[in-house]
Amino acid sequence: MRMKSNAVSRSVFFDLAKRPLGGIAKAVGRVVLAGVVAGLVFSAPALANSKYAGIVVDAKTGKVLYGEDADQLRYPASLTKMMTLYLTFEALEAGRISKSTPVAFSKKAAAEPPSKLGVRAGKAITVEQAVLSLVTRSANDAATALGELLGGSEQRFARMMTNKARALGMTRTTYRNANGLPNTEQKTTARDQARLGLALRQHFPQYYDYFSTRSFRFGKQTIGNHNRLLGNVRGVDGIKTGYTRASGFNLVTSAQLDGRSIVAVVMGGTSGGARDAQMRKLVAKYMPAASRRGNGNLIAEAPAAPVEAVTETAVAEAQAVAAAAPAASPASDLPNTGPVPDFRYTGESVTNVEMAYAAAKPASDNPVLAAKAAPNTLDAQGATLARQAAVSADVDTQITNSVAKAEASAGAAARQSADVQPQGWVIQIGATSDKAQAMTLLGNAKEKGGKVLRDATPFTVAFGDGTAQVYRARFGGFDDQNKAVNACKVLKKKGFACWASQQ
């Protein structure tokens, strides 16, 4: 019915445009024409662009204020870097890396196409410089380098990203790389991107200000932010832009004003200007509708599934390479990369990917706004969609295929380990192929750790397929994150590697 109404509007528009008018009729015609045009402009994405999807969520209550094809699969493009940054912030918070940790650029990272920093292979920048380059220039080479640092390889890091997406409730998102460059298997939805935007705000308030960076100095360059709404729309404080030819122009926006707060997503814009104009309208229309009440604790993270065959050795090797890499010389190594290029997905389109992975058709063409929809909150509607996906064999098989292997490996590993694994916050101090060595390492750490490990429980976790097992040496029994992180700080001073995580 909505499309029929729009078709009528377009018919009226073209009739008025063709018909010669005079006198009072001309004046009246101009008024009518202006009104029709105004209505069409706001609904233009749905009318003219099958790639369009959008959602607005009240960041304090989780209520969905607006939705348009919010659960249809789309290519994320550089919105992918939001998850790369989420995992980077997580590693920073756990103490596995610091802002000054060197990020080495491999040949693969250095060879990524623009938009990029242009750091040469074998050189390094700091984690903080990498974060700023992702937020502002959306640097593909820096995203790959971060993925290799944190995951040991970009392929392993992509599995970590997908697993983290599942833990955050992003049920329809699959990652294949750290930067969002073309890959036909890398897909998401507007709803999932809203969840990720909310999670970044909720879980990492100490790092969230990076997204409001207008520009930063790198050598002789001043690198500006691609997000044109920063400083131009009241209340907007981030988050991320994205573009490829197949995805169209994407934008996730956070805005806070007068005690209200929203996260909005626009995907598939026909141009950067059209995307920004649509986002301005969404913010203007739905910010006043947001609530001033609510605590904003909307995204409860479940533990992410372990990634198969990701050993600490691989990560340690990547970090050792980074530490040995010479710092980049920004003034000479980084040419002006110019505008973002026009990337292409060979032989694929949004349409044929939707056909392959489409969920069962809902009762309404707009499941977010349907009168019989589930309670109008992000979690409630997400749960409904998850149940729909569960009864669709095609969706279940194809969308979850990317993590099935990891989950099977994790289950096998759990069966292989005879140790009782404490729940809650744990710390890990190393990994070895020999269980006795892992227990010896735990004993040495217990002796040197003093009171911070007095009540901690040492245990090992076996990972592998039986032919290449790795035993992870861990301590459990920490009441909260602060106690686990403090224990790591003490052990690091004693010469032990250490990181904290939630079991």
Side-chain angles (χ1 to χ4, degrees):
M1 188 67 185
R2 181 195 62 188
M3 294 304 294
K4 181 178 180 181
S5 175
N6 287 334
V8 171
S9 297
R10 280 190 292 177
S11 174
V12 171
F13 171 77
F14 287 120
D15 284 347
L16 286 171
K18 293 176 182 177
R19 189 177 302 159
L21 299 172
I24 296 175
K26 182 182 290 186
V28 173
R30 284 174 179 165
V31 172
V32 173
L33 182 61
V36 173
V37 170
L40 288 173
V41 167
F42 189 78
S43 60
L47 276 173
N49 183 11
S50 62
K51 296 178 183 179
Y52 176 77
I55 193 169
V56 179
V57 180
D58 187 327
K60 289 194 172 182
T61 66
K63 182 178 180 181
V64 177
L65 304 176
Y66 159 84
E68 186 73 29
D69 290 336
D71 301 292
Q72 296 301 309
L73 289 169
R74 298 290 186 264
Y75 293 121
S78 283
L79 299 187
T80 297
K81 296 181 177 79
M82 290 166 59
M83 181 59 81
T84 300
L85 288 166
Y86 186 100
L87 292 176
T88 300
F89 296 158
E90 190 174 64
L92 283 167
E93 186 176 58
R96 298 198 295 275
I97 59 174
S98 71
K99 293 180 183 180
S100 59
T101 296
V103 181
F105 280 60
S106 65
K107 288 183 179 179
K108 182 182 187 305
E112 297 286 25
S115 186
K116 63 192 292 184
L117 281 180
V119 176
R120 295 173 183 170
K123 303 229 171 177
I125 61 176
T126 67
V127 165
E128 183 166 49
Q129 287 173 319
V131 168
L132 287 167
S133 73
L134 265 62
V135 169
T136 57
R137 179 168 282 177
S138 196
N140 295 317
D141 51 356
T144 296
L146 272 175
E148 291 173 343
L149 174 69
L150 297 173
S153 73
E154 191 178 30
Q155 291 74 24
R156 293 189 184 102
F157 186 66
R159 292 196 291 274
M160 291 167 60
M161 296 168 74
T162 300
N163 289 343
K164 182 59 65 176
R166 295 298 180 273
L168 295 173
M170 299 167 63
T171 60
R172 305 204 71 194
T173 297
T174 300
Y175 292 106
R176 289 289 182 260
N177 59 47
N179 49 38
L181 284 170
N183 187 307
T184 55
E185 295 180 345
Q186 186 145 302
K187 297 172 290 290
T188 190
T189 67
R191 185 188 301 275
D192 279 2
Q193 291 304 301
R195 292 190 72 88
L196 182 53
L198 289 166
L200 281 162
R201 282 180 40 165
Q202 177 183 328
H203 297 165
F204 304 110
Q206 70 274 43
Y207 302 122
Y208 182 76
D209 285 348
Y210 279 121
F211 289 105
S212 62
T213 303
R214 300 287 298 280
S215 65
F216 87 106
R217 290 285 299 175
F218 194 84
K220 294 182 179 179
Q221 297 184 84
T222 298
I223 299 176
N225 199 315
H226 288 172
N227 189 348
R228 306 305 180 198
L229 271 59
L230 280 172
N232 293 315
V233 177
R234 286 186 65 212
V236 169
D237 56 16
I239 299 178
K240 190 75 187 70
T241 62
Y243 169 75
T244 67
R245 161 91 43 153
S247 72
F249 291 82
N250 300 338
L251 178 61
V252 177
T253 290
S254 163
Q256 304 182 65
L257 187 65
D258 298 333
R260 297 181 172 92
S261 181
I262 61 172
V263 168
V265 180
V266 168
M267 303 187 76
T270 55
S271 69
R275 171 201 65 193
D276 292 350
Q278 175 71 352
M279 184 61 78
R280 288 172 187 268
K281 290 168 184 167
L282 292 178
V283 172
K285 181 172 183 178
Y286 293 104
M287 178 69 86
S291 174
R292 288 193 172 99
R293 297 182 178 181
N295 58 22
N297 294 322
L298 305 175
I299 311 297
E301 182 189 359
V307 179
E308 86 275 11
V310 180
T311 67
E312 280 67 25
T313 302
V315 179
E317 287 174 353
Q319 292 178 338
V321 170
S329 173
S332 60
D333 285 350
L334 306 179
N336 188 349
T337 57
V340 180
D342 200 13
F343 300 125
R344 301 168 188 270
Y345 284 75
T346 303
E348 292 288 342
S349 68
V350 171
T351 301
N352 59 34
V353 171
E354 285 176 0
M355 291 291 291
Y357 292 90
K361 184 174 178 60
S364 166
D365 286 337
N366 192 333
V368 180
L369 301 179
K372 296 183 180 180
N376 196 26
T377 65
L378 197 63
D379 282 332
Q381 293 190 17
T384 298
L385 287 156
R387 288 193 296 272
Q388 291 173 350
V391 299
S392 171
D394 288 341
V395 173
D396 221 23
T397 299
Q398 296 181 62
I399 293 181
T400 63
N401 188 53
S402 62
V403 294
K405 197 173 181 182
E407 292 171 347
S409 176
R415 289 190 296 272
Q416 291 164 3
S417 176
D419 295 300
V420 176
Q421 300 180 20
Q423 299 301 302
W425 281 92
V426 303
I427 62 174
Q428 181 166 310
I429 62 172
T432 175
S433 59
D434 184 90
K435 184 174 181 178
Q437 290 180 359
M439 293 304 297
T440 299
L441 179 63
L442 288 167
N444 291 338
K446 182 93 171 179
E447 182 180 348
K448 295 180 180 180
K451 63 180 182 180
V452 297
L453 295 180
R454 183 176 301 154
D455 299 323
T457 304
F459 67 101
T460 64
V461 179
F463 280 81
D465 58 7
T467 60
Q469 280 193 334
V470 173
Y471 293 90
R472 298 178 176 182
R474 295 179 173 178
F475 286 98
F478 298 97
D479 295 335
D480 54 42
Q481 181 181 7
N482 288 336
K483 290 183 179 180
V485 171
N486 288 337
C488 270
K489 289 179 180 177
V490 170
L491 289 175
K492 286 177 181 178
K493 291 179 181 178
K494 302 291 185 179
F496 292 90
C498 186
W499 58 271
S501 67
Q502 194 169 22
Q503 186 82 335

